[in-house]
Amino acid sequence: NDGAGTFNIDTILLEFDASGIDDTVTKQAATLEIYVKLAGSADGLSLVGDWYTGAMSAAGHTRVISSSTAFSAIPLSGVSAGQLLSIPLTNLSNLSLTGVTRIRLGLSGSDPSGANYLGIASLEDDQQEARLTVTYIAGGSGPSTTYAFATSSNGYSGGSVHAGSGRTVANGTRDASRV
C-alpha cells in the first residue's frame, strides 16, 4: 500500500499438457505441487486457484480470481518458504486430457494493509518446478495409474510473472506471482 490505497494484484498462470493420457480414462484424483520460495501474510489472505480456459497471455486474463474452483483456499499463514506444497485439486472435469490444462493462482481477501505474497520455483530454479499429478483408471476398472506432468514450455505467463528472478515485495502488495 503506497499510502494512497494502491496495491498490486498479480497472478501465476500454469499450463500443463496432459494429452498423453487416453481421454477415455476415469480420473480419480489430481494434485498440484508447487515449491514455495517466498511467503508472507500480513492480512490473513489465502492462496486460491481456478481452472483457467482463457488465452495464455498477460493481456488475456484478469488478475482477480473471484472464487477458488481448482482447490480449497489455503491460508497463507500456514505456508512457509522452503515447503513443497501439495494441493489436492477439485472439479476434475476441468482437467483436459486432450490438450492443455491451465491453473491460475492468486490471493484472496480484502484490500491489504501489509505485505502478502507467494513466490514459487520456476523452470530455471534448482527446486522442483510446478507439477500436476493425475491418478486415473484405464478402461473403467482395474488398478489405478499415477502420472506426473511438469509445466509446459510456456507454462508461466500472465500479469507480471518473473520466473527465476527475485524481488522484494513492497509493503501492502498483494502478490502471488513473484519468485
Side-chain angles (χ1 to χ4, degrees), residues 135-149:
T135 301
Y136 61 92
I137 295 177
S141 63
S144 62
T145 303
T146 300
Y147 198 92
F149 301 90

Side-chain angles (χ1 to χ4, degrees), residues 49-134:
D50 67 357
W51 298 100
Y52 183 72
T53 58
M56 191 70 174
S57 70
H61 71 91
T62 177
R63 292 182 177 174
V64 177
I65 299 174
S66 57
S67 64
S68 190
T69 62
F71 55 86
S72 298
I74 301 168
L76 274 181
S77 59
V79 177
S80 303
Q83 175 183 6
L84 181 61
L85 193 58
S86 182
I87 305 168
L89 299 176
T90 59
N91 301 313
L92 298 184
S93 61
N94 294 293
L95 193 147
S96 174
L97 300 180
T98 59
V100 297
T101 294
R102 295 182 182 116
I103 300 172
R104 184 174 52 167
L105 306 178
L107 301 181
S108 71
S110 60
D111 293 351
S113 61
N116 299 274
Y117 52 91
L118 177 74
I120 68 171
S122 69
L123 296 168
E124 291 84 12
D125 290 311
D126 292 333
Q127 297 84 10
Q128 175 183 306
E129 64 186 278
R131 180 178 297 161
L132 173 67
T133 303
V134 180

